[in-house]
Amino acid sequence: MADTAKPKGGGTARTTGGRRRSRKASTDAASTIADEQPKVLLDYYRQMLLIRRFEERTGQAYTQARIGGYCHLNLGEEATVVGLMTALQERDYLFTNYRDHGYAIGKGMSPRRVMAELYGRATGVSKGWGGSMHMYDTETRMLGGYGIVGGQLPLATGAALAVSYRGGDEVVMCQMGDGTTNIGAWHESLNIAALWNLPIVFVVINNFTGMGTTVEKSSAEPELYKRGSAFRIEGVRVDGRDVLAVRDAATDMVERARAEQRPFLLEATSYRMKGHSVVDPAKYRTKEQAEEAKANDPVLAFESQLEEAGVLTEEIKKEIAESVRAEVTDAADFAENSPHPEVSTLFDYTYATPVANESRRMPADPVFAE
Amino acid sequence: MSVITYRQALRDTLRAEMHRDENVLLLGEEIGVFEGSYKITEGLLKEFGERRVRDTPIAEEGFVGAAIGAAMLGLRPVVELMTINFSLIAIDQIVNHAAKIYGMFGGQTSVPMVIRTPGGGGQQLGATHSQNIELFYSFIPGLKVLAPSTPAEAASMLRAAIRDDDPVLFLENLGLYNTKGEVPDDDDTVAEIGRAAVTREGTDITLIGYSRMAMVTGQVAERLAEEGISCEVVDLRSLRPLDRETIVESVRKTGSAVIAEDDWLTYGIGAEIAASIQEGAFDYLDAPVRRVAMAEVPMPYAKPLETAALPSVESITTAVKETLNAVGRRVG
Ligand SMILES: Cc1ncc(C[n+]2csc(CCOP(=O)(O)OP(=O)(O)O)c2C)c(N)n1
């Protein structure tokens, strides 16, 4: 097992020690279910299940054409999402890519408003202007899902610059996929973050594919946590299907970024259960791979672990399933019954400072109506 | 009133804005220790220190994007891009992010930042270093694109840009840095973004330009005045938003127009202005609108070729006379 207490450039870690306990010894054991408060475990379980059911409902609504555009789900990545979001304090900032629904909920946005955004309604988190790829909320400090691969990295780096400029103690977390580590913005951002000692944790969700291209085919160094070493950024790899391991590794990095004012790199190995987006049948995946993903379903795995440990009884399980189902139904109903944005607001969000002669021309309008 | 250079006006304004607002910081390649490729930031590192005047690595996408992220959290970064040619490396951050963030998140966060950058030919810098590609940015809603032509304008427009809550692309021109003009002392005028200026009133023809070409059309008007031709000169100053009203009003008055632009002709900014005149002043036109633009070639290095490729007082004067001849007013 790897020990990240000392800066050794990381390694595959079941957990990286630390977490809620003080990070004292390099021999810190991995968190196990036995060490944890049942209440905490059940809360993680509930969150994972909520994201699972929310995404299933999203997929359904998409197929029924209630949701438009692209739609990238977090199915199979629930343990990673919940582990990461648990590691952040409320005051910490988050930037993600377009696979952002689970993160939005995990960071504290109401599932109602996330679903309403997917439905393109005025009650959505981005008032219906963003859609699936652009969840944003100032209050919970989810500073956006971004649709250009790697586009969020320079932004997140700049947010960390602002924190550092003001001497604040917030940390920025910047999520991305494995395919993102080959774009120029990755190199430029990690370099700047390291040069300027910025409090940011870059998190790579390595689900081993960017659309249909494998990590081996796209990254000359496919062990992605190692790529931080080019910038003297410590990197660690963690099993993203293990919520406790992700939480521990992420907490360790977030708190060190806060205390030491420097960037870190966390790689969480993960496996998306479905295609790249709802409409992708994932034909590039072998039958074995698909079955393996199913067999390693992180939600089911955590569920049986909790059952074995006696934390999750049949009764509690039913109760959680029921309340999650109700919450998702409520979210979908809320979205369905929310109004679309008024067409009269079309020109409201081009400029923050109103300006002379801004074009407010609708298709077919004459420029100079006399 | 003092007579100072365009360069000095920019420097004085940056310094004053940094004193006025702690959230204003400067980012860019070689702006600190080297004091700026064109010395706009001379002395500022010494005065404000590394926290506020930040030398960046050669990573245009990275540091332009970082400025956007910092602006989302309330700082007011002023980025210097060494020349507009290198903005191409950062175009994703400028177009996909700076311009869109306010809209795509439903107005929840804005991007109060400025990108200052010089452009223009005439310095024998060859094909990749002599471009005016402001068109790319002027095309994009969400961005504001300013192109001042005098020291006084440079100051009042830079103030406006820094205090504005939106991303502003602030165009300078290598050919303007050493030009001089009167700037009021202790001035705190903030220009209104989106307004053109009629810098000279006239009755025979409207000359339209921006940045260096606003200066050159002014010279043309002065020369033609000696021949008894009365030109009205419009300085666009703001390329987005574009002040169509001022342009159209002027053309309705004079009945003809020549547009001078330092960028390429096809799809250029002049094309947009000509279209606006067609939509707003067709019935008032006595002659077709003429455009004088840069030759549509990669800019050559050799001096005679480069000179021939750029609009000049002579080429604009010729276009004006030909237009007036077409109107039926025989000149020159
Ligand atoms: C610059 C850019 N190029 C291509 C795309 C199209 N695209 C969207 S997602 C994607 C794959 C990205 O894979 P990865 O970074 O591993 O993220 P994941 O989808 O696994 O979360 C591609 C190629 C894009 N959005 N942006």
Side-chain angles (χ1 to χ4, degrees), chain B:
Chain B
M1 285 279 185
S2 312
V3 174
I4 58 173
T5 60
Y6 191 96
R7 170 184 285 110
Q8 185 68 43
L10 292 170
R11 187 186 300 141
D12 291 350
T13 307
L14 286 176
R15 179 186 294 114
E17 289 301 297
M18 289 180 79
H19 279 300
R20 190 187 58 81
D21 184 352
E22 171 80 10
N23 285 321
V24 176
L25 72 160
L26 310 184
L27 294 168
E29 289 158 14
E30 309 295 350
I31 63 167
V33 177
F34 194 84
E35 302 194 300
S37 304
Y38 297 100
K39 301 294 172 220
I40 309 300
T41 53
E42 203 169 53
L44 298 184
L45 173 65
K46 270 188 210 102
E47 190 169 343
F48 294 98
E50 281 185 356
R51 175 168 167 267
R52 310 223 20 221
V53 180
R54 240 168 237 257
D55 277 322
T56 64
I58 307 163
E60 281 80 3
E61 180 177 15
F63 70 76
V64 169
I68 300 168
M72 289 171 74
L73 263 63
L75 298 189
R76 293 187 170 265
V78 180
V79 172
E80 176 173 306
L81 276 176
M82 217 176 247
T83 78
I84 196 168
N85 305 283
F86 315 141
S87 75
L88 295 173
I89 308 294
I91 205 163
D92 168 59
Q93 286 297 325
I94 300 170
V95 173
N96 275 324
H97 297 93
K100 307 290 162 58
I101 277 170
Y102 183 66
M104 78 185 186
F105 298 135
Q108 293 180 83
T109 186
S110 60
V111 179
M113 71 179 293
V114 182
I115 299 174
R116 292 180 35 243
T117 186
Q123 327 287 320
Q124 283 196 283
L125 297 172
T128 63
H129 284 58
S130 308
Q131 306 175 84
N132 280 320
I133 49 173
E134 48 270 21
L135 171 64
F136 297 178
Y137 303 105
S138 304
F139 179 58
I140 308 295
L143 295 178
K144 292 172 178 170
V145 182
L146 306 183
S149 64
T150 66
E153 256 175 23
S156 68
M157 295 189 99
L158 184 55
R159 254 176 245 127
I162 292 173
R163 298 179 195 183
D164 193 277
D165 283 339
D166 292 300
V168 179
L169 196 78
F170 190 90
L171 298 168
E172 299 163 11
N173 188 298
L174 299 177
L176 287 176
Y177 280 149
N178 288 331
T179 58
K180 287 186 176 168
E182 284 194 341
V183 178
D185 300 318
D186 299 320
D187 189 25
D188 201 40
T189 322
V190 178
E192 191 179 358
I193 295 176
R195 293 250 189 249
V198 176
T199 51
R200 183 189 184 102
E201 304 229 1
T203 50
D204 292 335
I205 190 166
T206 300
L207 308 188
I208 302 159
Y210 64 92
S211 191
R212 190 177 77 93
M213 280 300 114
M215 178 183 77
V216 175
T217 49
Q219 293 164 356
V220 169
E222 220 156 279
R223 181 196 278 199
L224 288 174
E226 290 163 18
E227 301 179 30
I229 299 169
S230 164
C231 299
E232 179 142 309
V233 179
V234 176
D235 178 355
L236 295 178
R237 310 194 310 173
S238 172
L239 301 179
R240 176 171 282 272
L242 181 64
D243 184 354
R244 291 189 168 87
E245 273 82 357
T246 298
I247 298 164
V248 164
E249 208 177 291
S250 173
V251 177
R252 283 178 180 179
K253 182 172 113 188
T254 62
S256 61
V258 167
I259 303 158
E261 55 187 323
D262 248 342
D263 62 345
W264 290 307
L265 187 80
T266 304
Y267 305 115
I269 284 168
E272 177 59 34
I273 296 163
S276 299
I277 293 172
Q278 186 276 134
E279 287 180 299
F282 181 77
D283 289 341
Y284 300 78
L285 281 177
D286 297 324
V289 174
R290 283 283 299 265
R291 293 177 286 154
V292 183
M294 204 165 84
E296 301 205 86
V297 295
M299 187 61 81
Y301 163 77
K303 195 67 194 169
L305 291 180
E306 186 187 48
T307 304
L310 289 165
S312 60
V313 170
E314 288 69 33
S315 59
I316 298 167
T317 303
T318 303
V320 171
K321 289 186 172 176
E322 283 173 5
T323 301
L324 289 174
N325 282 338
V327 169
R329 175 173 170 176
R330 294 275 142 217
V331 288

Side-chain angles (χ1 to χ4, degrees), chain A residues 70 72 77 97-99 133 147-151 175-181 183 205-213 272 276, chain B residues 92:
Chain A
Y70 297 144
H72 314 87
E77 302 183 352
N97 67 4
Y98 44 82
R99 203 180 293 285
M133 302 191 284
I148 305 295
V149 165
Q175 175 269 14
M176 73 200 86
D178 45 275
T180 310
T181 59
I183 205 159
I205 313 300
N206 186 357
N207 57 25
F208 301 97
T209 32
M211 296 187 77
T213 305
R272 61 171 155 78
H276 169 69
Chain B
D92 168 59

